[in-house]
């Protein structure tokens, strides 16, 4: 499963050059049966920014 077409919630002046546009969701999250919200929370914690919009599939 991947998170794709990611639009990050950046503050004015922040650059998204180092942030991915797509992320592979770790198998450990999938095996736990995490919800979409839990997966997005994980991505936010992992990269330090919230996601405004994306596709998950």
């Amino acid at each position: 499963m991947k998170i794709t077409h990611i639009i990050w919630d950046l503050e004015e002046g922040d650059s998204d050059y180092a942030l991915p546009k797509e992320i592979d969701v770790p198998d450990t999250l999938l095996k736990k049966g995490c919800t979409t919200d839990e997966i997005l929370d994980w991505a936010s914690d992992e990269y330090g920014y919230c996601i405004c919009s994306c596709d998950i599939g």
Side-chain angles (χ1 to χ4, degrees), residues 27-49:
D27 288 338
T28 55
L29 296 180
L30 300 174
K31 287 177 183 175
K32 287 182 184 177
C34 289
T35 65
T36 299
D37 286 340
E38 291 170 329
I39 291 170
L40 293 177
D41 285 345
W42 165 82
S44 176
D45 291 344
E46 193 73 16
Y47 292 95
Y49 291 94

Side-chain angles (χ1 to χ4, degrees), residues 11-25:
E11 297 196 16
E12 190 173 326
D14 285 347
S15 173
D16 69 350
Y17 75 92
L19 296 169
K21 298 294 184 202
E22 102 178 11
I23 301 168
D24 288 318
V25 177

